[in-house]
Amino acid sequence: MNKKTSPLVSVIMGSTSDLPIMDKALEFLDQMEIRFEVNALSAHRTPKEVEIFANKAAKRGVKVIIAAAGMAAALPGVIAANTTLPVIGVPIKSSLDGMDAAFSIMQMPPGIPVATVAINGALNAAILALQILSLTDKKLMRKMSDYKQGLKAKIVKANEDLAKLDYNYKVN
Ligand code: RP5
């Protein structure tokens, strides 16, 4: 693969049934103009392919892997076991309120961390990936900083709106 077109972030999901959740991560990466790839792989249904993917990812120029899975979510951990790249895990709520996936992803043995975001926390996974990439890219660092400023603006506006609420005992 041509290095110029190689993805910086690889987004992997256990099934296309995870896509409605993972779409938020893809949207964010797109909006931030981060080259990414998106594929489905399953630790249980395609174990050999997961190993091959994880072994080759760094050589292909990938810097961060986002791996999403539901139920007995082994995918992020198995990927992390086969690469030195940072792996961000997204537990998908598909059974047991997503607790099964959350525990499967976060309870990794010492030596094989998976940075686990909240259940269905796809957007935060993409933001964390951008933060990791921005450590060595000033342009991305600026984008991250602009994004944070945008979050602040939202709360400033919220306080303007709350200030307009009228209650007898509200004193601000
Ligand atoms: C996991 O099992 C997937 O990540 C998905 O969240 C869940 C259900 O998969 P499907 O049966 O919808 O393909 O491996």
Side-chain angles (χ1 to χ4, degrees):
M1 185 183 278
N2 181 339
K3 252 208 154 179
K4 275 189 184 153
T5 57
S6 69
L8 292 172
V9 179
S10 186
V11 180
I12 305 293
M13 57 193 84
S15 168
T16 45
S17 63
D18 302 330
L19 184 57
I21 297 300
M22 291 312 293
D23 182 53
K24 287 191 187 70
L26 308 183
E27 283 285 340
F28 181 81
L29 294 171
D30 222 33
Q31 185 192 327
M32 292 293 166
E33 300 173 321
I34 309 288
R35 295 193 310 277
F36 68 92
E37 65 179 7
V38 54
N39 291 292
L41 281 174
S42 165
H44 301 115
R45 291 164 174 161
T46 62
K48 283 203 176 70
E49 286 77 1
V50 171
E51 201 181 321
I52 292 167
F53 160 78
N55 276 317
K56 290 187 174 169
K59 279 186 215 121
R60 291 173 46 235
V62 171
K63 304 289 183 222
V64 186
I65 296 170
I66 296 174
M71 306 177 89
L75 180 64
V78 173
I79 291 175
N82 286 285
T83 183
T84 52
L85 294 174
V87 177
I88 303 169
V90 185
I92 300 290
K93 183 177 174 175
S94 59
S95 60
L96 302 179
D97 281 336
M99 294 302 284
D100 45 355
F103 286 133
S104 299
I105 295 176
M106 73 173 78
Q107 295 293 344
M108 291 297 293
I112 309 161
V114 171
T116 311
V117 294
I119 294 166
N120 285 357
L123 176 61
N124 269 0
I127 293 170
L128 186 53
L130 177 67
Q131 287 175 320
I132 293 169
L133 293 173
S134 73
L135 290 172
T136 51
D137 187 323
K138 281 189 182 150
K139 209 173 137 195
L140 287 185
M141 187 68 90
R142 255 196 314 278
K143 281 188 187 181
M144 201 54 238
S145 168
D146 290 348
Y147 180 77
K148 291 260 182 183
Q149 282 303 316
L151 296 180
K152 187 178 164 189
K154 189 178 170 183
I155 300 303
V156 169
K157 168 83 170 57
N159 277 310
E160 286 167 4
D161 292 345
L162 293 174
K164 289 176 200 153
L165 294 180
D166 189 25
Y167 290 93
N168 290 335
Y169 284 86
K170 181 171 174 282
V171 295
N172 73 332

